[in-house]
Amino acid sequence: MKNNFKIQVIQNDELDAFGAYASTSIKKGLGIVLFNLEANLETSLEHKDISFKEMFVETIMHEVGHALEEFYYLNFSEERIDKIIDSYREKYSSEKDK
């Protein structure tokens, strides 16, 4: 397998989550990330402490993180991905200055 891959983001508002990674899709060279636009938008409107842009970025980062775990034969770890997202949020969140 080459040391690269592509990610395709597909909207799926039927998900019971903000996003999902289609496990094993990366093995075919194209990682599939599902994005629940409706859930992300509603949450960002209900909770003024996070913008839609930040919801979008964090959701996609989370699912791409799972794709990377699979690509590099790592066990899926919500804790590892959450630490990465937390680190990103601490450094780049527009809400941190408020």
Side-chain angles (χ1 to χ4, degrees):
M1 176 177 0
K2 293 181 183 178
N3 205 16
N4 59 42
F5 58 86
K6 294 181 180 181
I7 295 289
Q8 181 177 8
V9 178
I10 300 172
Q11 180 181 346
N12 183 334
D13 293 339
E14 301 301 315
L15 288 174
D16 192 22
F18 295 120
Y21 166 64
S23 184
T24 73
S25 64
I26 204 71
K27 301 296 185 190
K28 299 173 185 131
L30 179 65
I32 304 294
V33 169
L34 304 175
F35 182 75
N36 187 334
L37 176 65
E38 186 177 310
N40 278 268
L41 187 56
E42 284 179 3
T43 299
S44 68
L45 291 172
E46 290 172 8
H47 302 279
K48 301 298 181 193
D49 59 336
I50 188 164
S51 68
F52 174 75
K53 176 182 161 184
E54 289 170 322
M55 288 284 302
F56 177 81
V57 168
E58 291 182 18
T59 299
I60 298 300
M61 281 178 59
H62 183 103
E63 303 312 332
V64 170
H66 287 312
L68 287 167
E69 287 175 326
E70 185 170 50
F71 187 77
Y72 289 108
Y73 301 98
L74 301 171
N75 292 328
F76 282 161
S77 170
E78 291 297 325
E79 293 79 21
R80 176 184 17 242
I81 300 300
D82 287 344
K83 284 182 183 179
I84 293 168
I85 299 298
D86 289 345
S87 175
Y88 168 83
R89 188 179 299 127
E90 288 174 18
K91 188 169 185 179
Y92 295 107
S93 173
S94 63
E95 301 302 320
K96 69 180 169 110
D97 299 326
K98 291 183 179 181

